[in-house]
Amino acid sequence: MAQQNYGHPVGFYLSVVTLPTMGALVMATTLKEIVIAVGLASEEVFRGDRLPLLKKPKSPTTSVTSSTSILTPH
């Protein structure tokens, strides 16, 4: 049985699909580089050496004996 030719060559479809496919690949590569750059920039924001130092309190605000005396029976 012979194949029927409907007048739509495969080469035409390949040429139509090639440009959008290449454009999508270029956009995906660019998007990947942007996401990596944003990730590195956010890492700089949260870096520990740029945060202020917190002062430690010299004495605790609550004592251990007062909290355990509540638990002991009278």
Side-chain angles (χ1 to χ4, degrees):
M1 187 178 249
Q3 263 187 343
Q4 295 180 358
N5 187 1
Y6 293 108
H8 302 291
V10 175
F12 172 74
Y13 290 127
L14 285 175
S15 65
V16 168
V17 173
T18 301
L19 185 61
T21 303
M22 295 301 289
L25 287 173
V26 169
M27 288 177 56
T29 304
T30 305
L31 181 63
K32 179 189 75 162
E33 291 174 2
I34 290 172
V35 168
I36 289 173
V38 168
L40 291 175
S42 68
E43 194 174 307
E44 290 293 324
V45 169
F46 295 112
R47 181 179 283 189
D49 62 356
R50 297 196 182 169
L51 295 174
L53 297 175
L54 300 176
K55 296 180 182 179
K56 293 182 181 178
K58 293 184 181 182
S59 63
T61 56
T62 60
S63 65
V64 177
T65 57
S66 65
S67 63
T68 56
S69 65
I70 296 172
L71 299 176
T72 57
H74 294 288

